[in-house]
Amino acid sequence: TRRSSDLSRYLDNLIGGLAMHMVGPLPLRLLFHAFVVVVGTILLSGAVNTAIVGSNGVLNRVAEDGVLPDWFRNPHKKFGTTSRIITMIVALQIITIVLNHGNLQLLGDAYAFGIVWSFAMKALAVTVLRYTEPDEPRWRVPLNFRVGKLQIPLGLFSITASLFMLALINVLTKKTATIAGTAFTIAFYTLFTISERYHQRHLSPEEQERKNEGQQHVSEGERFQLRVCDTLSPTAL
C-alpha cells in the first residue's frame, strides 16, 4: 500500500521521487530534491526560450508577408528586438498554462499535436513545391521516378503519408488535445485572415500596383535598430 501511495504521489515527478528515496538522512534528501527542482527549471527554461525564439521567427516571416500589421515588427528602442511579438508570445504561453491549471498531461498532448501536425503540413508544403518548382533541387529527396513527363517523387510521398498517418493516430488517441489544438488553429487562422485582408486594404499605391499586376509580394526583410557613429571601429560594431 505504501509503494502504491508513493507511486501515485511521484507519478508526475519521477526524478523527485528517486531523490527522496535515496539512502541518507531526510535533510540531505530534501536538499537534493530542491537541487533537482532547480536543475529541472533551468533546463526547461532553455526549452521555453527556444520556443519563444522559434515563434518569434515564424511571426516575423508572417508579418513580412503582410499577414500581420507592420506595427508588430517595429524594433525596441533600446534592444532592437521585435519586443511586441515576443511579449505577445510570452502572454499566450502564460495564458495557456493558467487556463489548463498546469496540467502536464494535457500540455504534453497539446505539444505532440502541434509538433506532429506541423511536420505533416511542412511535408505537404514540400510536396506541393516539388510540382510548382520542379527544377529546384532543395525540394528533392531520394526515390524519384518519371513516367513520360510526369514526375513521381515516391520518397517524398512516403514521408508525407507516414507523417499524416501519425497525425491521424494522434487525433484518435488524444481527443482533448485535438479539440484544443483544432480550436487554437481555427482561431489563429481566422485572425490571420482578417488581419491580412485589413492590411491589404491599406497598401501603398506602389504595393497595390504590384499586386494588380500579379507580381509576387516581396518581403521587406528584418528591421534593425541602428546606431549612427562618426567613427567606425570594432568596439562600435
Side-chain angles (χ1 to χ4, degrees):
T1 305
R2 182 181 178 183
R3 290 182 178 179
S4 176
S5 176
D6 289 343
L7 179 61
S8 61
R9 180 181 179 185
Y10 294 108
L11 187 61
D12 294 331
N13 186 15
L14 295 178
I15 300 179
L18 291 174
M20 292 303 297
H21 282 77
M22 294 184 67
V23 177
L26 180 60
L28 287 179
R29 284 184 286 162
L30 289 173
L31 183 62
F32 187 66
H33 193 181
F35 173 75
V36 168
V37 172
V38 172
V39 172
T41 302
I42 294 174
L43 291 175
L44 292 177
S45 297
V48 172
N49 180 70
T50 302
I52 295 173
V53 172
S55 302
N56 179 53
V58 171
L59 290 179
N60 267 284
R61 303 292 87 76
V62 171
E64 288 175 11
D65 290 338
V67 177
L68 285 177
D70 211 42
W71 177 83
F72 283 101
R73 298 178 57 229
N74 292 334
H76 191 275
K77 293 182 179 180
K78 181 178 180 180
F79 302 107
T81 58
T82 50
S83 58
R84 293 167 180 173
I85 294 179
I86 296 173
T87 302
M88 181 179 66
I89 294 168
V90 174
L92 287 173
Q93 289 177 331
I94 295 174
I95 290 171
T96 301
I97 295 173
V98 171
L99 287 179
N100 65 14
H101 306 287
N103 188 331
L104 295 179
Q105 182 66 42
L106 182 58
L107 286 173
D109 292 347
Y111 181 80
F113 175 88
I115 289 295
V116 171
W117 278 103
S118 65
F119 282 173
M121 291 300 177
K122 286 179 180 179
L124 179 62
V126 174
T127 304
V128 173
L129 289 169
R130 184 69 177 79
Y131 285 96
T132 56
E133 300 180 9
D135 298 329
E136 190 68 38
R138 56 182 171 176
W139 313 130
R140 293 178 178 270
V141 297
L143 299 179
N144 295 286
F145 301 95
R146 183 181 293 273
V147 179
K149 295 183 178 180
L150 180 63
Q151 297 183 10
I152 303 177
L154 183 60
L156 187 57
F157 284 161
S158 301
I159 295 173
T160 305
S162 300
L163 289 173
F164 267 95
M165 287 178 62
L166 290 174
L168 291 175
I169 292 173
N170 186 271
V171 167
L172 297 175
T173 56
K174 296 178 174 59
K175 295 183 179 179
T176 304
T178 298
I179 295 172
T182 303
F184 180 86
T185 303
I186 294 174
F188 264 78
Y189 178 78
T190 303
L191 287 174
F192 284 166
T193 303
I194 295 173
S195 176
E196 182 180 17
R197 292 181 179 179
Y198 176 81
H199 186 265
Q200 288 178 353
R201 291 176 184 175
H202 295 78
L203 292 176
S204 63
E206 293 80 7
E207 292 176 332
Q208 190 66 41
E209 183 180 357
R210 185 166 61 244
K211 177 186 175 183
N212 293 335
E213 293 175 355
Q215 297 181 7
Q216 186 177 5
H217 171 72
V218 180
S219 61
E220 180 183 346
E222 292 189 12
R223 295 179 176 179
F224 297 92
Q225 187 70 24
L226 302 179
R227 178 180 296 176
V228 179
C229 301
D230 296 331
T231 58
L232 185 63
S233 65
T235 304
L237 291 176

PDB file of all heavy atoms in Angstrom, residues 4-18 33 36-37 40 44 100-109:
ATOM      1  N   SER A   4       2.327   1.776  -3.454  1.00  0.00           N
ATOM      2  CA  SER A   4       1.309   2.306  -4.361  1.00  0.00           C
ATOM      3  C   SER A   4       1.060   3.785  -4.093  1.00  0.00           C
ATOM      4  O   SER A   4       0.899   4.581  -5.027  1.00  0.00           O
ATOM      5  CB  SER A   4       0.011   1.515  -4.184  1.00  0.00           C
ATOM      6  OG  SER A   4      -1.004   2.058  -4.979  1.00  0.00           O
ATOM      7  N   SER A   5       1.067   4.174  -2.830  1.00  0.00           N
ATOM      8  CA  SER A   5       0.866   5.579  -2.491  1.00  0.00           C
ATOM      9  C   SER A   5       2.027   6.434  -2.979  1.00  0.00           C
ATOM     10  O   SER A   5       1.835   7.532  -3.501  1.00  0.00           O
ATOM     11  CB  SER A   5       0.706   5.720  -0.973  1.00  0.00           C
ATOM     12  OG  SER A   5       0.607   7.081  -0.609  1.00  0.00           O
ATOM     13  N   ASP A   6       3.263   5.938  -2.801  1.00  0.00           N
ATOM     14  CA  ASP A   6       4.439   6.677  -3.274  1.00  0.00           C
ATOM     15  C   ASP A   6       4.426   6.814  -4.782  1.00  0.00           C
ATOM     16  O   ASP A   6       4.814   7.856  -5.333  1.00  0.00           O
ATOM     17  CB  ASP A   6       5.723   5.970  -2.815  1.00  0.00           C
ATOM     18  CG  ASP A   6       5.944   6.108  -1.306  1.00  0.00           C
ATOM     19  OD1 ASP A   6       5.302   6.991  -0.713  1.00  0.00           O
ATOM     20  OD2 ASP A   6       6.741   5.331  -0.750  1.00  0.00           O
ATOM     21  N   LEU A   7       3.993   5.746  -5.482  1.00  0.00           N
ATOM     22  CA  LEU A   7       3.957   5.775  -6.941  1.00  0.00           C
ATOM     23  C   LEU A   7       2.987   6.842  -7.435  1.00  0.00           C
ATOM     24  O   LEU A   7       3.306   7.622  -8.351  1.00  0.00           O
ATOM     25  CB  LEU A   7       3.576   4.408  -7.485  1.00  0.00           C
ATOM     26  CG  LEU A   7       3.476   4.286  -9.014  1.00  0.00           C
ATOM     27  CD1 LEU A   7       4.828   4.608  -9.647  1.00  0.00           C
ATOM     28  CD2 LEU A   7       3.007   2.906  -9.418  1.00  0.00           C
ATOM     29  N   SER A   8       1.790   6.887  -6.852  1.00  0.00           N
ATOM     30  CA  SER A   8       0.818   7.893  -7.262  1.00  0.00           C
ATOM     31  C   SER A   8       1.267   9.294  -6.869  1.00  0.00           C
ATOM     32  O   SER A   8       0.956  10.267  -7.553  1.00  0.00           O
ATOM     33  CB  SER A   8      -0.545   7.588  -6.628  1.00  0.00           C
ATOM     34  OG  SER A   8      -0.453   7.609  -5.210  1.00  0.00           O
ATOM     35  N   ARG A   9       2.031   9.394  -5.789  1.00  0.00           N
ATOM     36  CA  ARG A   9       2.492  10.703  -5.317  1.00  0.00           C
ATOM     37  C   ARG A   9       3.537  11.284  -6.248  1.00  0.00           C
ATOM     38  O   ARG A   9       3.543  12.499  -6.495  1.00  0.00           O
ATOM     39  CB  ARG A   9       3.064  10.553  -3.907  1.00  0.00           C
ATOM     40  CG  ARG A   9       3.577  11.852  -3.299  1.00  0.00           C
ATOM     41  CD  ARG A   9       4.129  11.587  -1.924  1.00  0.00           C
ATOM     42  NE  ARG A   9       4.650  12.789  -1.314  1.00  0.00           N
ATOM     43  CZ  ARG A   9       5.280  12.818  -0.135  1.00  0.00           C
ATOM     44  NH1 ARG A   9       5.435  11.687   0.549  1.00  0.00           N
ATOM     45  NH2 ARG A   9       5.735  13.949   0.357  1.00  0.00           N
ATOM     46  N   TYR A  10       4.427  10.439  -6.756  1.00  0.00           N
ATOM     47  CA  TYR A  10       5.529  10.910  -7.593  1.00  0.00           C
ATOM     48  C   TYR A  10       5.341  10.554  -9.065  1.00  0.00           C
ATOM     49  O   TYR A  10       6.304  10.529  -9.825  1.00  0.00           O
ATOM     50  CB  TYR A  10       6.861  10.324  -7.105  1.00  0.00           C
ATOM     51  CG  TYR A  10       7.277  10.816  -5.748  1.00  0.00           C
ATOM     52  CD1 TYR A  10       7.230   9.979  -4.639  1.00  0.00           C
ATOM     53  CD2 TYR A  10       7.715  12.127  -5.567  1.00  0.00           C
ATOM     54  CE1 TYR A  10       7.612  10.430  -3.385  1.00  0.00           C
ATOM     55  CE2 TYR A  10       8.094  12.591  -4.318  1.00  0.00           C
ATOM     56  CZ  TYR A  10       8.048  11.739  -3.225  1.00  0.00           C
ATOM     57  OH  TYR A  10       8.421  12.201  -1.992  1.00  0.00           O
ATOM     58  N   LEU A  11       4.105  10.280  -9.474  1.00  0.00           N
ATOM     59  CA  LEU A  11       3.862   9.872 -10.850  1.00  0.00           C
ATOM     60  C   LEU A  11       4.231  10.980 -11.833  1.00  0.00           C
ATOM     61  O   LEU A  11       4.757  10.714 -12.919  1.00  0.00           O
ATOM     62  CB  LEU A  11       2.388   9.490 -11.028  1.00  0.00           C
ATOM     63  CG  LEU A  11       2.003   8.887 -12.381  1.00  0.00           C
ATOM     64  CD1 LEU A  11       2.772   7.599 -12.632  1.00  0.00           C
ATOM     65  CD2 LEU A  11       0.504   8.621 -12.440  1.00  0.00           C
ATOM     66  N   ASP A  12       3.972  12.232 -11.473  1.00  0.00           N
ATOM     67  CA  ASP A  12       4.313  13.372 -12.331  1.00  0.00           C
ATOM     68  C   ASP A  12       5.665  13.979 -11.974  1.00  0.00           C
ATOM     69  O   ASP A  12       6.034  15.027 -12.505  1.00  0.00           O
ATOM     70  CB  ASP A  12       3.234  14.457 -12.224  1.00  0.00           C
ATOM     71  CG  ASP A  12       1.906  13.989 -12.791  1.00  0.00           C
ATOM     72  OD1 ASP A  12       1.935  13.144 -13.705  1.00  0.00           O
ATOM     73  OD2 ASP A  12       0.856  14.468 -12.314  1.00  0.00           O
ATOM     74  N   ASN A  13       6.385  13.348 -11.064  1.00  0.00           N
ATOM     75  CA  ASN A  13       7.687  13.880 -10.625  1.00  0.00           C
ATOM     76  C   ASN A  13       8.596  12.707 -10.267  1.00  0.00           C
ATOM     77  O   ASN A  13       8.984  12.521  -9.106  1.00  0.00           O
ATOM     78  CB  ASN A  13       7.492  14.818  -9.428  1.00  0.00           C
ATOM     79  CG  ASN A  13       8.778  15.513  -9.023  1.00  0.00           C
ATOM     80  OD1 ASN A  13       9.745  15.527  -9.766  1.00  0.00           O
ATOM     81  ND2 ASN A  13       8.791  16.071  -7.821  1.00  0.00           N
ATOM     82  N   LEU A  14       8.935  11.904 -11.274  1.00  0.00           N
ATOM     83  CA  LEU A  14       9.678  10.675 -11.031  1.00  0.00           C
ATOM     84  C   LEU A  14      11.080  10.946 -10.502  1.00  0.00           C
ATOM     85  O   LEU A  14      11.566  10.252  -9.600  1.00  0.00           O
ATOM     86  CB  LEU A  14       9.745   9.851 -12.321  1.00  0.00           C
ATOM     87  CG  LEU A  14       8.404   9.327 -12.843  1.00  0.00           C
ATOM     88  CD1 LEU A  14       8.603   8.567 -14.147  1.00  0.00           C
ATOM     89  CD2 LEU A  14       7.736   8.431 -11.817  1.00  0.00           C
ATOM     90  N   ILE A  15      11.753  11.956 -11.046  1.00  0.00           N
ATOM     91  CA  ILE A  15      13.113  12.252 -10.596  1.00  0.00           C
ATOM     92  C   ILE A  15      13.095  12.735  -9.146  1.00  0.00           C
ATOM     93  O   ILE A  15      13.968  12.380  -8.344  1.00  0.00           O
ATOM     94  CB  ILE A  15      13.775  13.298 -11.516  1.00  0.00           C
ATOM     95  CG1 ILE A  15      13.830  12.761 -12.943  1.00  0.00           C
ATOM     96  CG2 ILE A  15      15.166  13.644 -11.033  1.00  0.00           C
ATOM     97  CD1 ILE A  15      14.452  13.724 -13.927  1.00  0.00           C
ATOM     98  N   GLY A  16      12.086  13.547  -8.798  1.00  0.00           N
ATOM     99  CA  GLY A  16      11.950  13.962  -7.408  1.00  0.00           C
ATOM    100  C   GLY A  16      11.702  12.783  -6.487  1.00  0.00           C
ATOM    101  O   GLY A  16      12.225  12.733  -5.365  1.00  0.00           O
ATOM    102  N   GLY A  17      10.908  11.811  -6.949  1.00  0.00           N
ATOM    103  CA  GLY A  17      10.670  10.608  -6.160  1.00  0.00           C
ATOM    104  C   GLY A  17      11.938   9.799  -5.952  1.00  0.00           C
ATOM    105  O   GLY A  17      12.195   9.286  -4.855  1.00  0.00           O
ATOM    106  N   LEU A  18      12.775   9.697  -6.996  1.00  0.00           N
ATOM    107  CA  LEU A  18      14.051   8.989  -6.844  1.00  0.00           C
ATOM    108  C   LEU A  18      14.956   9.705  -5.846  1.00  0.00           C
ATOM    109  O   LEU A  18      15.652   9.062  -5.051  1.00  0.00           O
ATOM    110  CB  LEU A  18      14.754   8.897  -8.206  1.00  0.00           C
ATOM    111  CG  LEU A  18      14.100   7.981  -9.250  1.00  0.00           C
ATOM    112  CD1 LEU A  18      14.821   8.099 -10.594  1.00  0.00           C
ATOM    113  CD2 LEU A  18      14.129   6.529  -8.768  1.00  0.00           C
ATOM    114  N   HIS A  33      16.545  17.019  -3.349  1.00  0.00           N
ATOM    115  CA  HIS A  33      15.288  17.199  -4.087  1.00  0.00           C
ATOM    116  C   HIS A  33      15.172  18.633  -4.586  1.00  0.00           C
ATOM    117  O   HIS A  33      14.770  18.886  -5.729  1.00  0.00           O
ATOM    118  CB  HIS A  33      14.113  16.848  -3.183  1.00  0.00           C
ATOM    119  CG  HIS A  33      12.830  16.700  -3.922  1.00  0.00           C
ATOM    120  ND1 HIS A  33      11.633  16.399  -3.316  1.00  0.00           N
ATOM    121  CD2 HIS A  33      12.529  16.832  -5.244  1.00  0.00           C
ATOM    122  CE1 HIS A  33      10.675  16.344  -4.213  1.00  0.00           C
ATOM    123  NE2 HIS A  33      11.191  16.608  -5.391  1.00  0.00           N
ATOM    124  N   VAL A  36      17.390  19.085  -7.557  1.00  0.00           N
ATOM    125  CA  VAL A  36      16.789  18.510  -8.760  1.00  0.00           C
ATOM    126  C   VAL A  36      15.759  19.468  -9.356  1.00  0.00           C
ATOM    127  O   VAL A  36      15.686  19.660 -10.577  1.00  0.00           O
ATOM    128  CB  VAL A  36      16.148  17.148  -8.429  1.00  0.00           C
ATOM    129  CG1 VAL A  36      15.276  16.664  -9.583  1.00  0.00           C
ATOM    130  CG2 VAL A  36      17.218  16.120  -8.124  1.00  0.00           C
ATOM    131  N   VAL A  37      14.971  20.107  -8.502  1.00  0.00           N
ATOM    132  CA  VAL A  37      13.959  21.049  -8.977  1.00  0.00           C
ATOM    133  C   VAL A  37      14.609  22.243  -9.662  1.00  0.00           C
ATOM    134  O   VAL A  37      14.171  22.690 -10.736  1.00  0.00           O
ATOM    135  CB  VAL A  37      13.077  21.507  -7.800  1.00  0.00           C
ATOM    136  CG1 VAL A  37      12.150  22.637  -8.237  1.00  0.00           C
ATOM    137  CG2 VAL A  37      12.257  20.336  -7.262  1.00  0.00           C
ATOM    138  N   GLY A  40      16.060  21.159 -13.043  1.00  0.00           N
ATOM    139  CA  GLY A  40      14.978  20.951 -13.996  1.00  0.00           C
ATOM    140  C   GLY A  40      14.396  22.265 -14.496  1.00  0.00           C
ATOM    141  O   GLY A  40      14.087  22.409 -15.682  1.00  0.00           O
ATOM    142  N   LEU A  44      14.390  23.387 -18.422  1.00  0.00           N
ATOM    143  CA  LEU A  44      13.140  23.691 -19.107  1.00  0.00           C
ATOM    144  C   LEU A  44      13.058  25.161 -19.510  1.00  0.00           C
ATOM    145  O   LEU A  44      12.360  25.502 -20.470  1.00  0.00           O
ATOM    146  CB  LEU A  44      11.958  23.330 -18.212  1.00  0.00           C
ATOM    147  CG  LEU A  44      11.769  21.826 -17.973  1.00  0.00           C
ATOM    148  CD1 LEU A  44      10.626  21.575 -17.011  1.00  0.00           C
ATOM    149  CD2 LEU A  44      11.539  21.088 -19.269  1.00  0.00           C
ATOM    150  N   ASN A 100      -5.245  25.755 -18.347  1.00  0.00           N
ATOM    151  CA  ASN A 100      -5.326  24.314 -18.075  1.00  0.00           C
ATOM    152  C   ASN A 100      -4.764  23.944 -16.702  1.00  0.00           C
ATOM    153  O   ASN A 100      -4.538  22.755 -16.433  1.00  0.00           O
ATOM    154  CB  ASN A 100      -4.630  23.505 -19.183  1.00  0.00           C
ATOM    155  CG  ASN A 100      -3.139  23.766 -19.239  1.00  0.00           C
ATOM    156  OD1 ASN A 100      -2.555  24.337 -18.321  1.00  0.00           O
ATOM    157  ND2 ASN A 100      -2.530  23.359 -20.324  1.00  0.00           N
ATOM    158  N   HIS A 101      -4.539  24.961 -15.845  1.00  0.00           N
ATOM    159  CA  HIS A 101      -4.106  24.750 -14.455  1.00  0.00           C
ATOM    160  C   HIS A 101      -2.799  23.952 -14.368  1.00  0.00           C
ATOM    161  O   HIS A 101      -2.600  23.184 -13.414  1.00  0.00           O
ATOM    162  CB  HIS A 101      -5.204  24.037 -13.654  1.00  0.00           C
ATOM    163  CG  HIS A 101      -6.530  24.721 -13.711  1.00  0.00           C
ATOM    164  ND1 HIS A 101      -6.794  25.911 -13.035  1.00  0.00           N
ATOM    165  CD2 HIS A 101      -7.674  24.428 -14.397  1.00  0.00           C
ATOM    166  CE1 HIS A 101      -8.039  26.278 -13.276  1.00  0.00           C
ATOM    167  NE2 HIS A 101      -8.601  25.411 -14.098  1.00  0.00           N
ATOM    168  N   GLY A 102      -1.930  24.119 -15.348  1.00  0.00           N
ATOM    169  CA  GLY A 102      -0.636  23.438 -15.311  1.00  0.00           C
ATOM    170  C   GLY A 102      -0.724  21.939 -15.475  1.00  0.00           C
ATOM    171  O   GLY A 102       0.142  21.203 -14.955  1.00  0.00           O
ATOM    172  N   ASN A 103      -1.735  21.440 -16.168  1.00  0.00           N
ATOM    173  CA  ASN A 103      -1.895  20.000 -16.388  1.00  0.00           C
ATOM    174  C   ASN A 103      -0.816  19.512 -17.355  1.00  0.00           C
ATOM    175  O   ASN A 103      -0.881  19.761 -18.557  1.00  0.00           O
ATOM    176  CB  ASN A 103      -3.295  19.718 -16.960  1.00  0.00           C
ATOM    177  CG  ASN A 103      -3.602  18.242 -17.024  1.00  0.00           C
ATOM    178  OD1 ASN A 103      -2.716  17.406 -17.163  1.00  0.00           O
ATOM    179  ND2 ASN A 103      -4.882  17.922 -16.916  1.00  0.00           N
ATOM    180  N   LEU A 104       0.175  18.787 -16.808  1.00  0.00           N
ATOM    181  CA  LEU A 104       1.311  18.365 -17.628  1.00  0.00           C
ATOM    182  C   LEU A 104       0.893  17.395 -18.726  1.00  0.00           C
ATOM    183  O   LEU A 104       1.430  17.435 -19.834  1.00  0.00           O
ATOM    184  CB  LEU A 104       2.387  17.720 -16.740  1.00  0.00           C
ATOM    185  CG  LEU A 104       3.069  18.640 -15.728  1.00  0.00           C
ATOM    186  CD1 LEU A 104       4.083  17.872 -14.903  1.00  0.00           C
ATOM    187  CD2 LEU A 104       3.741  19.805 -16.436  1.00  0.00           C
ATOM    188  N   GLN A 105      -0.058  16.511 -18.417  1.00  0.00           N
ATOM    189  CA  GLN A 105      -0.508  15.543 -19.419  1.00  0.00           C
ATOM    190  C   GLN A 105      -1.155  16.246 -20.604  1.00  0.00           C
ATOM    191  O   GLN A 105      -0.867  15.949 -21.767  1.00  0.00           O
ATOM    192  CB  GLN A 105      -1.497  14.571 -18.777  1.00  0.00           C
ATOM    193  CG  GLN A 105      -1.999  13.477 -19.722  1.00  0.00           C
ATOM    194  CD  GLN A 105      -0.901  12.527 -20.142  1.00  0.00           C
ATOM    195  OE1 GLN A 105      -0.075  12.130 -19.326  1.00  0.00           O
ATOM    196  NE2 GLN A 105      -0.875  12.165 -21.420  1.00  0.00           N
ATOM    197  N   LEU A 106      -2.022  17.220 -20.300  1.00  0.00           N
ATOM    198  CA  LEU A 106      -2.693  17.952 -21.375  1.00  0.00           C
ATOM    199  C   LEU A 106      -1.701  18.809 -22.154  1.00  0.00           C
ATOM    200  O   LEU A 106      -1.778  18.894 -23.387  1.00  0.00           O
ATOM    201  CB  LEU A 106      -3.808  18.814 -20.792  1.00  0.00           C
ATOM    202  CG  LEU A 106      -4.640  19.619 -21.804  1.00  0.00           C
ATOM    203  CD1 LEU A 106      -5.276  18.688 -22.820  1.00  0.00           C
ATOM    204  CD2 LEU A 106      -5.698  20.442 -21.082  1.00  0.00           C
ATOM    205  N   LEU A 107      -0.753  19.446 -21.459  1.00  0.00           N
ATOM    206  CA  LEU A 107       0.266  20.243 -22.143  1.00  0.00           C
ATOM    207  C   LEU A 107       1.119  19.373 -23.064  1.00  0.00           C
ATOM    208  O   LEU A 107       1.444  19.767 -24.188  1.00  0.00           O
ATOM    209  CB  LEU A 107       1.147  20.951 -21.115  1.00  0.00           C
ATOM    210  CG  LEU A 107       0.521  22.142 -20.383  1.00  0.00           C
ATOM    211  CD1 LEU A 107       1.449  22.622 -19.270  1.00  0.00           C
ATOM    212  CD2 LEU A 107       0.230  23.285 -21.344  1.00  0.00           C
ATOM    213  N   GLY A 108       1.484  18.183 -22.577  1.00  0.00           N
ATOM    214  CA  GLY A 108       2.267  17.268 -23.412  1.00  0.00           C
ATOM    215  C   GLY A 108       1.491  16.802 -24.632  1.00  0.00           C
ATOM    216  O   GLY A 108       2.040  16.721 -25.737  1.00  0.00           O
ATOM    217  N   ASP A 109       0.206  16.482 -24.438  1.00  0.00           N
ATOM    218  CA  ASP A 109      -0.625  16.071 -25.574  1.00  0.00           C
ATOM    219  C   ASP A 109      -0.780  17.200 -26.594  1.00  0.00           C
ATOM    220  O   ASP A 109      -0.732  16.970 -27.807  1.00  0.00           O
ATOM    221  CB  ASP A 109      -2.006  15.633 -25.080  1.00  0.00           C
ATOM    222  CG  ASP A 109      -1.947  14.348 -24.282  1.00  0.00           C
ATOM    223  OD1 ASP A 109      -0.893  13.679 -24.323  1.00  0.00           O
ATOM    224  OD2 ASP A 109      -2.937  14.012 -23.610  1.00  0.00           O
TER     225      ASP A 109
END
